[in-house]
Amino acid sequence: MERCDLVMLRTPQNKAWIELVQSIVASPSYQEELRSIQGYDLSFTGSVLLDS
């Protein structure tokens, strides 16, 4: 299984953009769309794995 992560540079200028992307990726409608593509593990979709 291949793992794909989205990495974003947190800066004051990117704060609103990052929050928007997080809300979209974590939304039930987005995740439902992804479920229609078979063969992917979505258990971490929308999760922040590292925040530093």
Side-chain angles (χ1 to χ4, degrees), residues 3-41:
R3 180 175 166 168
C4 296
D5 295 325
L6 174 62
V7 178
M8 297 181 278
L9 180 61
R10 185 171 14 115
T11 65
Q13 297 84 2
N14 290 348
K15 184 178 181 190
W17 181 78
I18 290 170
E19 290 173 357
L20 176 62
V21 170
Q22 285 178 318
S23 69
I24 292 169
V25 172
S27 72
S29 60
Y30 180 80
Q31 292 193 19
E32 188 62 34
E33 283 291 321
L34 291 179
R35 280 188 200 91
S36 69
I37 306 170
Q38 299 296 317
Y40 290 95
D41 177 6

